[in-house]
Amino acid sequence: VEAATRFAERAERQLPEDASLRALKADILARQKDYAGAVRAMDEALRLNPDLPRGHTRRGLFRLSAGDEEGAMADFREAVEAGEAPDLLAQQMLGRGHEAYFQTGQYDRAAATFEAALEFARQPATRQQLQFFTAFSYYQAGEKIDAANQQAEACGPARRALERFQQVLPHLNRAGDTQAKSQAEIRAATDAQIYRQQAILKKPACR
């Protein structure tokens, strides 16, 4: 990666008006997980060439990883208007949301990303996959809150956990047969968790 960075910097100095080199620099920065830097590099690439192939898609993905969901969605909509395949974009959002948020335990942000991707998903299989991972993210978000509330059984965390668990089944009901075995397990665990959170909230201190 360091060699690629040095190459991109030398090429930039030699060809300061080359948009593709700025895009290359953005890709290198993204591999280093410097997503803010990748966004800035893509800003410059698109300034030099507003019609850069897949430019808005790439910047949108970098913005998504940097935490700028609003900016990412604006880029994605512009990309679709310019001819980007909506289902491909939805799949890329699924992948980026899974890598950047789900795998790092940021389950609320993962769920928000997957729900946003539904705007672009056209094929039933893509929509069902997104619905499954949205449900799973909400479930994991609730589990994370509950795990920290095992001993205290405090009212506030129980309410927040219940809010997440109550989002699970509506999404699973639209997930078709995607990961059917996992769906059954998540459904059973969600029912148990909803019962647990409601029991906590029935305590006099929570009323």
Side-chain angles (χ1 to χ4, degrees), residues 73-150:
M73 291 300 289
D75 266 331
F76 294 149
R77 291 180 185 121
E78 191 159 348
V80 170
E81 287 180 9
E84 180 71 274
D87 275 284
L88 175 61
L89 182 52
Q91 286 286 349
Q92 289 181 310
M93 290 179 69
L94 173 59
R96 188 58 58 94
H98 190 271
E99 177 186 357
Y101 301 143
F102 189 89
Q103 291 185 333
T104 59
Q106 300 178 70
Y107 300 117
D108 285 329
R109 293 183 76 175
T113 299
F114 301 147
E115 285 188 288
L118 286 165
E119 176 180 333
F120 305 107
R122 303 290 186 268
Q123 296 296 323
T126 304
R127 295 190 65 82
Q128 290 168 2
Q129 192 176 22
L130 285 165
Q131 294 285 8
F132 172 81
F133 278 103
T134 301
F136 197 15
S137 297
Y138 276 123
Y139 174 80
Q140 294 284 43
E143 277 280 347
K144 188 174 182 179
I145 296 169
D146 182 64
N149 196 38
Q150 282 288 318

Coordinates of all heavy atoms in Angstrom, one line a residue, residues 73-150:
M73 N -26.2 9.0 0.3 CA -27.4 8.7 -0.4 C -27.6 9.7 -1.6 O -28.1 9.4 -2.6 CB -28.6 8.9 0.6 CG -28.7 7.7 1.6 SD -28.9 6.1 0.8 CE -30.5 6.2 0.2
A74 N -27.1 11.0 -1.4 CA -27.2 11.9 -2.5 C -26.3 11.5 -3.6 O -26.7 11.6 -4.8 CB -26.7 13.3 -2.0
D75 N -25.1 10.9 -3.3 CA -24.3 10.4 -4.4 C -24.9 9.2 -5.1 O -24.8 9.1 -6.3 CB -22.9 10.0 -3.8 CG -21.9 11.1 -3.9 OD1 -22.0 12.0 -4.9 OD2 -21.0 11.2 -3.1
F76 N -25.5 8.3 -4.3 CA -26.1 7.1 -4.9 C -27.2 7.5 -5.8 O -27.4 6.9 -6.9 CB -26.5 6.2 -3.8 CG -25.4 5.6 -3.0 CD1 -25.6 5.3 -1.6 CD2 -24.2 5.4 -3.5 CE1 -24.6 4.7 -0.9 CE2 -23.1 4.8 -2.8 CZ -23.4 4.5 -1.4
R77 N -28.1 8.4 -5.4 CA -29.2 8.8 -6.2 C -28.7 9.4 -7.5 O -29.2 9.2 -8.6 CB -30.1 9.8 -5.5 CG -30.8 9.1 -4.3 CD -31.7 10.1 -3.6 NE -32.3 9.4 -2.4 CZ -32.2 9.9 -1.2 NH1 -31.4 10.9 -0.9 NH2 -32.7 9.2 -0.2
E78 N -27.6 10.2 -7.4 CA -27.1 10.8 -8.7 C -26.5 9.7 -9.6 O -26.6 9.8 -10.8 CB -26.0 11.9 -8.3 CG -25.6 12.7 -9.5 CD -24.9 14.0 -9.0 OE1 -25.0 14.4 -7.9 OE2 -24.4 14.7 -9.9
A79 N -25.9 8.7 -8.9 CA -25.3 7.6 -9.7 C -26.4 6.9 -10.5 O -26.2 6.5 -11.6 CB -24.5 6.7 -8.8
V80 N -27.5 6.6 -9.8 CA -28.6 5.9 -10.5 C -29.1 6.7 -11.6 O -29.4 6.2 -12.7 CB -29.7 5.5 -9.5 CG1 -30.9 5.0 -10.2 CG2 -29.2 4.5 -8.5
E81 N -29.3 8.0 -11.4 CA -29.8 8.9 -12.5 C -28.8 8.9 -13.7 O -29.2 9.0 -14.8 CB -29.9 10.3 -12.0 CG -31.1 10.5 -11.0 CD -31.2 11.9 -10.5 OE1 -30.5 12.8 -11.1 OE2 -32.1 12.2 -9.6
A82 N -27.5 8.6 -13.4 CA -26.5 8.6 -14.5 C -26.4 7.3 -15.1 O -25.6 7.1 -16.0 CB -25.2 9.1 -13.9
G83 N -27.2 6.3 -14.6 CA -27.1 5.0 -15.3 C -26.6 3.8 -14.5 O -26.5 2.7 -15.0
E84 N -26.2 4.1 -13.2 CA -25.7 3.0 -12.4 C -26.9 2.0 -12.1 O -28.0 2.3 -12.0 CB -25.3 3.5 -11.0 CG -24.7 2.5 -10.0 CD -23.4 1.9 -10.5 OE1 -23.5 0.9 -11.2 OE2 -22.4 2.4 -10.0
A85 N -26.5 0.7 -12.2 CA -27.5 -0.4 -11.9 C -28.0 -0.3 -10.5 O -27.1 -0.5 -9.6 CB -26.9 -1.7 -12.3
P86 N -29.3 -0.1 -10.2 CA -29.7 0.0 -8.8 C -29.4 -1.2 -8.0 O -29.0 -1.0 -6.8 CB -31.2 0.3 -9.0 CG -31.4 0.8 -10.3 CD -30.4 0.1 -11.2
D87 N -29.6 -2.4 -8.5 CA -29.4 -3.6 -7.7 C -27.9 -3.8 -7.4 O -27.6 -4.2 -6.3 CB -30.0 -4.8 -8.4 CG -31.4 -5.0 -8.1 OD1 -31.8 -5.4 -6.9 OD2 -32.3 -4.7 -8.9
L88 N -27.1 -3.4 -8.3 CA -25.6 -3.5 -8.0 C -25.3 -2.6 -6.9 O -24.5 -2.9 -6.0 CB -24.8 -3.2 -9.3 CG -23.3 -3.1 -9.1 CD1 -22.8 -4.4 -8.7 CD2 -22.6 -2.7 -10.4
L89 N -25.8 -1.4 -6.9 CA -25.6 -0.4 -5.9 C -26.1 -0.9 -4.5 O -25.4 -0.8 -3.5 CB -26.3 0.9 -6.3 CG -26.1 2.1 -5.3 CD1 -24.6 2.4 -5.0 CD2 -26.7 3.4 -5.9
A90 N -27.3 -1.5 -4.5 CA -27.8 -2.0 -3.3 C -26.9 -3.1 -2.7 O -26.7 -3.2 -1.5 CB -29.2 -2.5 -3.5
Q91 N -26.4 -4.0 -3.6 CA -25.5 -5.0 -3.1 C -24.2 -4.4 -2.6 O -23.7 -4.9 -1.6 CB -25.2 -6.0 -4.3 CG -26.3 -6.9 -4.6 CD -26.5 -8.0 -3.6 OE1 -25.7 -8.2 -2.7 NE2 -27.6 -8.7 -3.8
Q92 N -23.7 -3.4 -3.2 CA -22.5 -2.7 -2.7 C -22.7 -2.1 -1.3 O -21.9 -2.1 -0.5 CB -22.0 -1.7 -3.7 CG -21.4 -2.4 -4.9 CD -20.9 -1.3 -5.9 OE1 -21.5 -0.4 -6.3 NE2 -19.6 -1.5 -6.4
M93 N -23.9 -1.5 -1.2 CA -24.3 -0.9 0.1 C -24.4 -2.0 1.2 O -23.9 -1.8 2.3 CB -25.6 -0.1 0.0 CG -25.5 1.1 -0.8 SD -27.1 2.0 -0.9 CE -27.3 2.6 0.8
L94 N -24.9 -3.1 0.8 CA -25.0 -4.3 1.7 C -23.6 -4.7 2.2 O -23.3 -4.9 3.4 CB -25.7 -5.4 1.1 CG -25.8 -6.8 1.9 CD1 -26.4 -6.6 3.2 CD2 -26.5 -7.8 1.0
G95 N -22.7 -4.8 1.2 CA -21.3 -5.3 1.5 C -20.6 -4.3 2.4 O -19.9 -4.6 3.3
R96 N -20.7 -3.0 2.0 CA -20.0 -1.9 2.8 C -20.6 -1.8 4.2 O -19.9 -1.6 5.2 CB -20.1 -0.6 2.0 CG -19.3 0.5 2.6 CD -17.8 0.1 2.7 NE -17.2 -0.2 1.4 CZ -16.6 0.6 0.6 NH1 -16.4 1.9 1.0 NH2 -16.1 0.2 -0.5
G97 N -22.0 -1.9 4.3 CA -22.6 -1.8 5.6 C -22.2 -3.0 6.5 O -22.0 -2.8 7.7
H98 N -22.1 -4.1 5.9 CA -21.7 -5.3 6.7 C -20.2 -5.2 7.1 O -19.9 -5.5 8.3 CB -21.8 -6.6 5.8 CG -21.7 -7.9 6.5 ND1 -20.5 -8.5 6.7 CD2 -22.6 -8.6 7.2 CE1 -20.7 -9.6 7.4 NE2 -21.9 -9.7 7.7
E99 N -19.3 -4.7 6.3 CA -17.9 -4.6 6.6 C -17.7 -3.5 7.6 O -17.0 -3.6 8.6 CB -17.1 -4.4 5.3 CG -15.6 -4.2 5.6 CD -14.8 -3.8 4.4 OE1 -15.4 -3.8 3.3 OE2 -13.6 -3.6 4.5
A100 N -18.2 -2.3 7.3 CA -17.9 -1.1 8.1 C -18.7 -1.0 9.4 O -18.1 -0.5 10.4 CB -18.2 0.2 7.3
Y101 N -19.9 -1.6 9.5 CA -20.7 -1.4 10.6 C -21.1 -2.7 11.3 O -20.9 -2.9 12.5 CB -22.0 -0.7 10.3 CG -21.8 0.7 9.7 CD1 -22.6 1.2 8.7 CD2 -20.7 1.5 10.2 CE1 -22.3 2.5 8.1 CE2 -20.5 2.8 9.6 CZ -21.3 3.3 8.6 OH -21.1 4.5 8.1
F102 N -21.6 -3.7 10.6 CA -22.1 -4.9 11.2 C -20.9 -5.7 11.9 O -21.0 -6.1 13.0 CB -22.8 -5.8 10.2 CG -23.5 -7.0 10.8 CD1 -24.8 -6.9 11.3 CD2 -22.8 -8.2 11.0 CE1 -25.4 -8.0 11.9 CE2 -23.4 -9.3 11.6 CZ -24.7 -9.2 12.0
Q103 N -19.8 -5.8 11.2 CA -18.7 -6.6 11.7 C -18.0 -5.9 12.8 O -17.2 -6.5 13.5 CB -17.7 -6.9 10.6 CG -18.3 -8.0 9.6 CD -17.2 -8.4 8.6 OE1 -16.3 -7.7 8.2 NE2 -17.4 -9.6 8.1
T104 N -18.2 -4.6 12.9 CA -17.5 -3.8 14.0 C -18.5 -3.5 15.2 O -18.2 -2.7 16.0 CB -17.0 -2.5 13.5 OG1 -18.1 -1.7 12.9 CG2 -15.9 -2.7 12.4
G105 N -19.6 -4.2 15.1 CA -20.6 -4.0 16.3 C -21.4 -2.8 16.3 O -22.1 -2.5 17.3
Q106 N -21.4 -2.0 15.2 CA -22.2 -0.8 15.1 C -23.6 -1.2 14.4 O -23.9 -0.8 13.3 CB -21.5 0.2 14.2 CG -20.2 0.7 14.8 CD -19.4 1.7 14.0 OE1 -19.9 2.8 13.9 NE2 -18.4 1.3 13.4
Y107 N -24.4 -1.9 15.2 CA -25.5 -2.6 14.6 C -26.6 -1.6 14.2 O -27.3 -1.8 13.2 CB -26.1 -3.6 15.6 CG -25.1 -4.7 15.9 CD1 -24.6 -4.9 17.2 CD2 -24.6 -5.5 14.8 CE1 -23.6 -5.9 17.4 CE2 -23.6 -6.5 15.1 CZ -23.2 -6.7 16.4 OH -22.2 -7.6 16.7
D108 N -26.8 -0.5 14.9 CA -27.8 0.5 14.6 C -27.5 1.1 13.2 O -28.3 1.3 12.4 CB -28.0 1.6 15.6 CG -28.7 1.1 16.8 OD1 -29.6 0.2 16.7 OD2 -28.4 1.6 17.9
R109 N -26.2 1.4 13.0 CA -25.8 2.0 11.7 C -25.9 1.0 10.6 O -26.2 1.3 9.5 CB -24.4 2.6 11.9 CG -24.3 3.8 12.8 CD -22.9 4.4 12.9 NE -22.6 5.1 11.7 CZ -21.5 5.8 11.5 NH1 -20.6 5.9 12.5 NH2 -21.3 6.5 10.4
A110 N -25.6 -0.3 10.9 CA -25.7 -1.3 9.9 C -27.2 -1.4 9.5 O -27.5 -1.4 8.3 CB -25.3 -2.6 10.5
A111 N -28.1 -1.4 10.4 CA -29.5 -1.5 10.1 C -30.0 -0.3 9.3 O -30.7 -0.5 8.3 CB -30.4 -1.6 11.4
A112 N -29.5 0.9 9.6 CA -29.9 2.1 8.9 C -29.3 2.0 7.4 O -30.0 2.4 6.5 CB -29.3 3.3 9.6
T113 N -28.1 1.5 7.3 CA -27.5 1.3 5.9 C -28.3 0.3 5.1 O -28.6 0.6 3.9 CB -26.1 0.9 6.0 OG1 -25.3 1.9 6.8 CG2 -25.5 0.7 4.6
F114 N -28.7 -0.8 5.7 CA -29.4 -1.8 4.9 C -30.8 -1.3 4.5 O -31.3 -1.6 3.4 CB -29.5 -3.1 5.7 CG -28.1 -3.7 6.1 CD1 -28.0 -4.4 7.3 CD2 -27.1 -3.5 5.2 CE1 -26.7 -4.9 7.6 CE2 -25.8 -4.1 5.6 CZ -25.6 -4.8 6.8
E115 N -31.4 -0.6 5.5 CA -32.8 -0.1 5.1 C -32.7 1.0 4.0 O -33.5 1.0 3.1 CB -33.4 0.6 6.4 CG -33.9 -0.5 7.4 CD -34.7 0.2 8.5 OE1 -34.0 0.8 9.4 OE2 -35.9 0.0 8.6
A116 N -31.6 1.8 4.1 CA -31.4 2.8 3.0 C -31.2 2.1 1.7 O -31.7 2.6 0.6 CB -30.3 3.7 3.3
A117 N -30.5 1.0 1.7 CA -30.2 0.3 0.4 C -31.5 -0.2 -0.3 O -31.5 -0.5 -1.5 CB -29.3 -0.9 0.7
L118 N -32.5 -0.4 0.5 CA -33.8 -0.9 0.0 C -34.4 0.0 -1.1 O -35.1 -0.4 -2.0 CB -34.8 -1.2 1.1 CG -34.6 -2.4 2.0 CD1 -35.4 -2.3 3.2 CD2 -34.9 -3.7 1.2
E119 N -34.0 1.3 -1.0 CA -34.5 2.3 -2.0 C -34.0 1.9 -3.4 O -34.7 2.2 -4.3 CB -33.9 3.7 -1.6 CG -34.3 4.8 -2.6 CD -33.7 6.1 -2.2 OE1 -33.5 6.4 -1.0 OE2 -33.5 6.9 -3.2
F120 N -32.9 1.2 -3.5 CA -32.3 0.9 -4.8 C -32.5 -0.5 -5.2 O -32.3 -0.8 -6.4 CB -30.8 1.3 -4.8 CG -30.5 2.7 -4.3 CD1 -30.0 2.9 -3.1 CD2 -30.8 3.7 -5.2 CE1 -29.7 4.2 -2.7 CE2 -30.6 5.0 -4.8 CZ -30.0 5.3 -3.5
A121 N -32.9 -1.4 -4.3 CA -33.0 -2.8 -4.6 C -34.3 -3.0 -5.4 O -35.4 -2.6 -5.0 CB -33.1 -3.6 -3.4
R122 N -34.1 -3.6 -6.6 CA -35.3 -3.9 -7.5 C -35.6 -5.4 -7.5 O -36.8 -5.8 -7.5 CB -35.0 -3.5 -8.9 CG -34.6 -2.0 -9.0 CD -35.8 -1.1 -8.8 NE -35.5 0.3 -9.1 CZ -35.0 1.2 -8.2 NH1 -34.8 0.8 -6.9 NH2 -34.7 2.4 -8.5
Q123 N -34.6 -6.3 -7.5 CA -34.8 -7.7 -7.6 C -35.3 -8.2 -6.2 O -34.8 -7.9 -5.2 CB -33.5 -8.4 -8.0 CG -33.0 -8.1 -9.4 CD -34.0 -8.5 -10.5 OE1 -34.6 -9.5 -10.4 NE2 -34.2 -7.7 -11.5
P124 N -36.3 -9.2 -6.3 CA -36.8 -9.7 -5.0 C -35.7 -10.3 -4.1 O -35.7 -10.2 -2.9 CB -37.8 -10.8 -5.5 CG -38.3 -10.3 -6.8 CD -37.1 -9.6 -7.4
A125 N -34.7 -11.0 -4.7 CA -33.7 -11.7 -3.9 C -32.8 -10.6 -3.2 O -32.4 -10.8 -2.1 CB -32.8 -12.5 -4.8
T126 N -32.6 -9.5 -3.9 CA -31.8 -8.5 -3.3 C -32.5 -7.8 -2.1 O -32.0 -7.6 -1.0 CB -31.4 -7.4 -4.3 OG1 -30.7 -8.0 -5.4 CG2 -30.5 -6.3 -3.7
R127 N -33.8 -7.6 -2.3 CA -34.6 -7.0 -1.3 C -34.8 -7.9 -0.1 O -34.7 -7.5 1.1 CB -36.0 -6.6 -1.8 CG -36.1 -5.6 -2.9 CD -37.5 -5.1 -3.2 NE -38.1 -4.5 -2.0 CZ -37.9 -3.2 -1.7 NH1 -37.1 -2.4 -2.4 NH2 -38.5 -2.7 -0.6
Q128 N -34.9 -9.2 -0.3 CA -35.1 -10.2 0.8 C -33.8 -10.3 1.6 O -33.8 -10.4 2.8 CB -35.5 -11.5 0.2 CG -36.9 -11.5 -0.3 CD -37.3 -12.7 -1.1 OE1 -36.5 -13.6 -1.2 NE2 -38.5 -12.8 -1.6
Q129 N -32.7 -10.2 0.9 CA -31.4 -10.3 1.6 C -31.2 -9.1 2.5 O -30.7 -9.2 3.6 CB -30.2 -10.4 0.6 CG -28.9 -10.7 1.2 CD -27.8 -10.9 0.1 OE1 -28.0 -10.4 -1.0 NE2 -26.8 -11.6 0.4
L130 N -31.5 -7.9 2.0 CA -31.4 -6.7 2.8 C -32.4 -6.7 3.9 O -32.0 -6.3 5.1 CB -31.7 -5.5 1.9 CG -30.6 -5.1 0.9 CD1 -31.1 -4.1 -0.1 CD2 -29.4 -4.4 1.7
Q131 N -33.6 -7.2 3.7 CA -34.5 -7.3 4.9 C -34.0 -8.3 5.9 O -34.1 -8.0 7.1 CB -35.9 -7.9 4.4 CG -36.6 -6.9 3.4 CD -37.3 -5.8 4.1 OE1 -37.1 -5.5 5.3 NE2 -38.1 -5.0 3.4
F132 N -33.4 -9.4 5.5 CA -32.8 -10.3 6.5 C -31.7 -9.6 7.3 O -31.7 -9.7 8.6 CB -32.2 -11.6 5.8 CG -31.5 -12.4 6.8 CD1 -32.1 -13.3 7.6 CD2 -30.1 -12.4 6.9 CE1 -31.5 -14.1 8.5 CE2 -29.4 -13.1 7.8 CZ -30.1 -14.0 8.6
F133 N -30.8 -9.0 6.7 CA -29.7 -8.4 7.4 C -30.1 -7.1 8.2 O -29.5 -6.8 9.2 CB -28.5 -8.0 6.5 CG -27.7 -9.2 6.1 CD1 -27.8 -9.9 4.9 CD2 -26.8 -9.7 7.1 CE1 -27.0 -11.0 4.7 CE2 -26.0 -10.8 6.8 CZ -26.1 -11.5 5.6
T134 N -31.2 -6.5 7.8 CA -31.7 -5.4 8.6 C -32.3 -6.0 9.9 O -32.0 -5.5 11.0 CB -32.8 -4.6 7.9 OG1 -32.3 -4.1 6.6 CG2 -33.4 -3.5 8.7
A135 N -33.1 -7.1 9.8 CA -33.6 -7.7 10.9 C -32.5 -8.2 11.9 O -32.6 -8.0 13.1 CB -34.5 -8.9 10.5
F136 N -31.5 -8.9 11.3 CA -30.4 -9.4 12.1 C -29.6 -8.3 12.8 O -29.2 -8.4 14.0 CB -29.5 -10.2 11.2 CG -28.5 -11.1 11.9 CD1 -28.7 -11.5 13.3 CD2 -27.4 -11.7 11.3 CE1 -27.9 -12.3 13.9 CE2 -26.5 -12.5 11.9 CZ -26.8 -12.9 13.2
S137 N -29.5 -7.1 12.1 CA -28.8 -6.0 12.8 C -29.6 -5.5 14.0 O -29.0 -5.2 15.0 CB -28.6 -4.9 11.7 OG -27.7 -5.3 10.7
Y138 N -30.9 -5.3 13.8 CA -31.7 -4.9 14.9 C -31.7 -5.9 16.1 O -31.6 -5.5 17.2 CB -33.2 -4.7 14.5 CG -33.5 -3.4 13.8 CD1 -34.0 -3.3 12.5 CD2 -33.2 -2.2 14.5 CE1 -34.2 -2.0 12.0 CE2 -33.5 -1.0 13.9 CZ -34.0 -0.9 12.7 OH -34.2 0.3 12.1
Y139 N -31.7 -7.2 15.7 CA -31.6 -8.2 16.8 C -30.3 -8.0 17.5 O -30.2 -8.0 18.8 CB -31.7 -9.6 16.2 CG -31.5 -10.6 17.3 CD1 -32.5 -11.0 18.2 CD2 -30.2 -11.3 17.4 CE1 -32.2 -11.9 19.2 CE2 -30.0 -12.2 18.4 CZ -31.0 -12.5 19.3 OH -30.8 -13.4 20.3
Q140 N -29.2 -7.9 16.8 CA -27.9 -7.8 17.5 C -27.7 -6.5 18.3 O -27.1 -6.5 19.3 CB -26.7 -7.9 16.4 CG -26.6 -9.2 15.7 CD -26.0 -10.3 16.6 OE1 -26.3 -10.4 17.7 NE2 -25.1 -11.0 16.0
A141 N -28.4 -5.4 17.8 CA -28.4 -4.2 18.5 C -29.1 -4.4 19.8 O -28.6 -3.9 20.9 CB -29.0 -3.1 17.7
G142 N -30.2 -5.0 19.8 CA -30.9 -5.3 21.1 C -30.2 -6.2 22.0 O -30.1 -5.9 23.2
E143 N -29.5 -7.2 21.5 CA -28.7 -8.1 22.3 C -27.6 -7.4 23.0 O -27.2 -7.6 24.1 CB -28.1 -9.2 21.4 CG -29.1 -10.4 21.2 CD -29.1 -11.4 22.3 OE1 -28.3 -11.3 23.2 OE2 -30.0 -12.2 22.4
K144 N -27.0 -6.5 22.2 CA -25.8 -5.7 22.8 C -26.3 -4.8 23.9 O -25.6 -4.8 25.0 CB -25.2 -4.8 21.7 CG -23.9 -4.1 22.1 CD -23.3 -3.4 20.9 CE -22.0 -2.8 21.2 NZ -21.4 -2.1 20.0
I145 N -27.4 -4.2 23.8 CA -28.0 -3.4 24.9 C -28.3 -4.3 26.1 O -28.0 -4.0 27.2 CB -29.2 -2.6 24.4 CG1 -28.8 -1.6 23.3 CG2 -29.8 -1.9 25.6 CD1 -30.0 -0.9 22.6
D146 N -29.0 -5.4 25.8 CA -29.4 -6.3 26.9 C -28.2 -6.9 27.6 O -28.2 -7.1 28.9 CB -30.3 -7.4 26.4 CG -30.8 -8.3 27.5 OD1 -31.5 -7.8 28.3 OD2 -30.4 -9.5 27.4
A147 N -27.1 -7.2 26.9 CA -26.0 -7.8 27.5 C -25.4 -6.9 28.6 O -24.9 -7.3 29.6 CB -24.9 -8.2 26.5
A148 N -25.4 -5.6 28.3 CA -24.9 -4.6 29.3 C -25.9 -4.3 30.4 O -25.5 -3.6 31.4 CB -24.5 -3.3 28.6
N149 N -27.1 -4.9 30.3 CA -28.1 -4.6 31.3 C -28.5 -5.9 32.0 O -29.6 -5.9 32.7 CB -29.4 -4.0 30.5 CG -30.3 -3.3 31.5 OD1 -29.9 -2.7 32.5 ND2 -31.6 -3.5 31.2
Q150 N -27.7 -6.9 31.9 CA -28.1 -8.2 32.5 C -28.3 -8.1 34.0 O -29.2 -8.6 34.6 CB -27.0 -9.2 32.2 CG -27.1 -9.8 30.8 CD -28.3 -10.7 30.6 OE1 -28.6 -11.5 31.5 NE2 -29.0 -10.6 29.5

